[in-house]
Amino acid sequence: MMTDIEIAQSCQMQPITAIAEKTGILADELELYGKYKAKIAPSAMERLQDKPDGKLVLVTAINPTPAGEGKTTTTVGLGQAMARIGKNAVIALREPSLGPVFGIKGGAAGGGWAQVVPMEDINLHFTGDMHAITAANNLLCAMIDNHLQQGNALGIDPRRIIFTRVMDMNDRALRNITIGLGGKINGVPREDHFMITVASEIMAILCLASDLEDLKKRFGDILVAYTYQNTPVYARDLKAEGAMTALMKDAIKPNLVQTLEGTPCLMHGGPFANIAHGCNSVQATKLALKLGDIAITEAGFGADLGAEKFLDIKCRKAGLKPSCVVLVATVRALKYNGGVAKADLNQENVEAVKKGICNLDAHIENIGKYGLPVVVAINAFPTDTEAEMEFVREHCAQMGVRVALSEVFAKGGEGGIALAEEVLAVLDEDKAAFAPIYPDEMSLTQKIETIAKTIYGADGVSILPAAAKELKNIMDMGYGNLPVCMAKTQYSLSDDEKKLGRPTDFTITVRTARLAAGAGFVVCETGAIMTMPGLPKVPAAEKIDIDNSGKIEGLF
């Protein structure tokens, strides 16, 4: 079997101008980044704004395991399958972060014969959006520290600066740092921190902003610090929003690429779902709904994170209404949730599947709480046995949900036709009655408890004193109507990654809370979540190389 990069490099890509033309994008709406990548100008959405929207399909998954679930692969393969059976489908995905690419998780362009290309460009610098976000974020940080150095007219308390620097790389050494050392000329000494770029509020704002004007307003609304008198200081007080927006003038435009089979894909924005809100940009999703009769998008990690945030944050803010949810699972992952070690997942073990399928049940039930129909996609692996598969099929039938075997990794669009047909059947039934699980007027504490109890299955929530104090402060500032973005481990429904399956008798511990006023939500960190990951003992970077002709090797 060829590696992902070998498959991608064997593909004959179409010029991106051809992809744009068949998608309905005009030549003067396309800004080329070479032969196979382009950005789409805002004029495209302006031209299409009165066109009826297509149907929105969300792809999510059970809790991820070391075995891998293939959510992006399924999303890409489903789009390819729709095209094969004559449907006008457009895919909308997130952009990869360099941190996982060089770390342990890998890229985010799909896999096997269900990939978005050019995968090397997409997984590395792409069109520079990540760098623009990093630059805009760190410009604001530089302006904060310069303000301190130049007399601190606003009276900012250096101990209460809450906006931190970012870097699009896994680097644990930067989590906690001291800056401004070396004498007066080098600034005011203080403690600072780094997060990974995809956790930045700038990223969240990019993904939720409706246009350039909205982007600038949201940048101005970023809460950066408090004064000695406990008065909030916003980015607009530092007059930073104009320059930040100028850095983002191109990054705000959705990117157009293609799958291995020439299906159009809009790839834009890339917040992680475990530490951020986990969805691609509102602009890309809305454009996909105008360009396609079916728009297929994904939300990061398991449905307890990405799907919850897609439905409670993104859909709420953007007025989106999904028609169907595809829930990706693997037999291997079900066995892992049933207690089987990673090394033994290739062995048939129907009893472990029976034990671990409770994780799938939890996510099926949770999606139903939003009034949405579910199609379970079983992402096929060569080691799956018929007995294991048959149990999953029978179980899904008992749950009252449609199920299909997805073989897109090995067969591309052809291997996703069965899944596509099940999705189309659900869309034809048109039974979606979407609604978020909590109202705006509910208190922040009640919203946290609702997510913890309704989605995670927790008995309750323990909010530590520092977090409780900040939540009260946020409420007192008038931001209590905002949704909550929970930062939680992706590996478990609980905040303890070791609790697999469907944990019971647990409490969610909220350690910190911070206002992301520009993005329009409140971030609550639970458990031992890290906003700046570290590299593993053997990082993927060790295997990546490039030859003298410029051909990249070892990229998955």
Side-chain angles (χ1 to χ4, degrees):
M1 179 73 179
M2 292 192 292
T3 64
D4 288 354
I5 193 169
E6 288 170 343
I7 292 172
Q9 289 172 344
S10 72
C11 158
Q12 184 62 49
M13 289 184 283
Q14 300 176 41
I16 200 65
T17 50
I19 300 295
E21 183 178 357
K22 75 176 184 181
T23 308
I25 300 166
L26 305 180
D28 62 359
E29 295 167 345
L30 208 61
E31 299 176 7
L32 299 178
Y33 279 62
K35 291 176 63 177
Y36 305 113
K37 299 172 291 183
K39 281 190 170 289
I40 302 173
S43 56
M45 193 64 190
E46 293 168 7
R47 175 175 61 85
L48 296 166
Q49 62 181 347
D50 294 329
K51 182 183 177 184
D53 286 345
K55 297 288 185 72
L56 181 58
V57 176
L58 172 67
V59 180
T60 185
I62 64 174
N63 290 101
T65 70
E69 280 56 66
K71 176 165 46 59
T72 304
T73 301
T74 303
T75 305
V76 174
L78 177 59
Q80 293 179 157
M82 288 289 187
R84 278 182 176 252
I85 57 178
K87 300 299 179 181
N88 177 22
V90 176
I91 301 166
L93 295 177
R94 294 174 297 157
E95 301 176 48
S97 163
L98 290 177
V101 169
F102 293 119
I104 193 170
K105 181 176 178 288
W113 294 96
Q115 294 188 60
V116 182
V117 286
M119 73 89 85
E120 306 98 308
D121 293 2
I122 290 168
N123 281 317
L124 297 177
H125 299 282
F126 201 19
T127 56
D129 293 347
M130 291 289 181
H131 302 309
I133 294 164
T134 302
N137 185 105
N138 292 343
L139 168 64
L140 179 54
C141 291
M143 292 181 73
I144 295 168
D145 284 300
N146 184 62
H147 187 85
L148 297 179
Q149 175 75 358
Q150 305 297 344
N152 196 8
L154 293 171
I156 294 172
D157 185 346
R159 300 164 299 180
R160 299 197 66 196
I161 294 172
I162 61 174
F163 193 81
T164 68
R165 289 167 162 81
V166 299
M167 177 180 177
D168 191 33
M169 191 60 62
N170 294 358
D171 193 347
R172 61 173 58 83
L174 295 179
R175 288 174 185 159
N176 302 290
I177 61 172
T178 303
I179 62 173
L181 302 181
K184 186 176 181 180
I185 195 173
N186 292 322
V188 176
R190 67 178 183 90
E191 181 182 357
D192 200 4
H193 312 274
F194 267 83
M195 296 192 299
I196 193 164
T197 296
V198 289
S200 168
E201 187 175 353
I202 307 301
M203 171 66 83
I205 289 173
L206 170 73
C207 290
L208 293 169
S210 56
D211 53 31
L212 205 59
E213 182 180 1
D214 185 36
L215 186 79
K216 182 160 67 174
K217 180 191 179 298
R218 287 172 178 270
F219 282 168
D221 289 343
I222 295 172
L223 176 66
V224 298
Y226 293 92
T227 67
Y228 287 109
Q229 287 73 40
N230 200 36
T231 302
V233 178
Y234 298 92
R236 59 177 174 267
D237 298 321
L238 295 162
K239 300 180 174 61
E241 69 270 32
M244 292 169 66
T245 308
L247 282 170
M248 298 288 290
K249 70 179 182 65
D250 293 318
I252 193 173
K253 302 168 186 173
N255 305 295
L256 178 66
V257 285
Q258 62 188 289
T259 72
L260 293 173
E261 299 180 11
T263 310
C265 177
L266 299 172
M267 214 166 193
H268 194 218
F272 283 175
N274 58 342
I275 53 180
H277 80 283
C279 311
N280 74 313
S281 76
V282 166
Q283 289 191 89
T285 302
K286 286 190 169 183
L287 185 57
L289 285 166
K290 297 297 184 185
L291 294 170
D293 297 327
I294 301 170
I296 304 169
T297 190
E298 67 164 5
F301 292 126
D304 55 318
L305 288 169
E308 186 274 316
K309 294 169 185 179
F310 181 92
L311 299 169
D312 282 321
I313 297 176
K314 180 175 177 176
C315 290
R316 183 195 305 266
K317 294 293 184 180
L320 298 171
K321 292 187 176 181
S323 296
C324 175
V325 176
V326 174
L327 182 60
V328 181
T330 66
V331 167
R332 290 160 60 86
L334 295 174
K335 286 191 284 191
Y336 187 84
N337 273 283
V340 176
K342 182 181 178 182
D344 299 324
L345 292 176
N346 292 339
Q347 306 300 316
E348 182 179 88
N349 192 330
V350 177
E351 289 305 312
V353 176
K354 291 180 180 179
K355 185 177 178 182
I357 208 162
C358 58
N359 188 265
L360 177 65
D361 292 350
H363 293 295
I364 291 172
E365 292 169 14
N366 284 344
I367 293 164
K369 293 169 185 175
Y370 290 93
L372 295 172
V374 181
V375 176
V376 173
I378 303 300
N379 188 21
F381 278 75
T383 55
D384 298 343
T385 70
E386 182 55 36
E388 291 169 332
M389 283 297 307
E390 184 57 30
F391 172 77
V392 177
R393 291 191 196 98
E394 291 178 357
H395 186 84
C396 288
Q398 292 172 5
M399 292 285 290
V401 299
R402 294 177 179 271
V403 60
L405 180 65
S406 173
E407 299 178 280
V408 298
F409 183 91
K411 299 179 181 179
E414 180 187 351
I417 290 175
L419 175 60
E421 289 174 342
E422 294 292 347
V423 170
L424 289 172
V426 168
L427 295 180
D428 288 342
E429 291 170 355
D430 197 23
K431 292 183 177 179
F434 168 68
I437 59 166
Y438 57 78
D440 291 340
E441 57 270 18
M442 186 179 278
S443 73
L444 294 176
T445 300
Q446 288 175 315
K447 290 169 184 172
I448 294 168
E449 289 177 348
T450 299
I451 295 170
K453 292 180 179 180
T454 305
I455 302 301
Y456 305 158
D459 293 334
V461 177
S462 173
I463 301 177
L464 299 186
K469 181 180 179 181
E470 190 56 32
L471 287 169
K472 181 180 183 304
N473 181 47
I474 293 168
M475 292 280 288
D476 291 344
M477 290 167 63
Y479 291 102
N481 64 324
L482 295 182
V484 171
C485 179
M486 300 291 281
K488 181 184 77 69
T489 178
Q490 64 268 34
Y491 297 114
S492 172
L493 285 161
S494 74
D495 56 7
D496 180 353
E497 65 177 45
K498 296 179 181 178
K499 293 184 176 181
L500 303 179
R502 190 173 190 174
T504 57
D505 303 320
F506 69 92
T507 299
I508 293 291
T509 300
V510 177
R511 297 187 297 108
T512 67
R514 58 183 169 87
L515 172 63
F521 53 67
V522 176
V523 180
C524 296
E525 294 182 10
T526 70
I529 195 72
M530 289 289 183
T531 55
M532 169 54 88
L535 291 171
K537 186 173 183 179
V538 183
E542 292 185 10
K543 301 175 183 176
I544 298 172
D545 203 354
I546 186 168
D547 66 19
N548 200 43
S549 68
K551 183 179 180 181
I552 295 174
E553 302 169 347
L555 193 64
F556 325 123

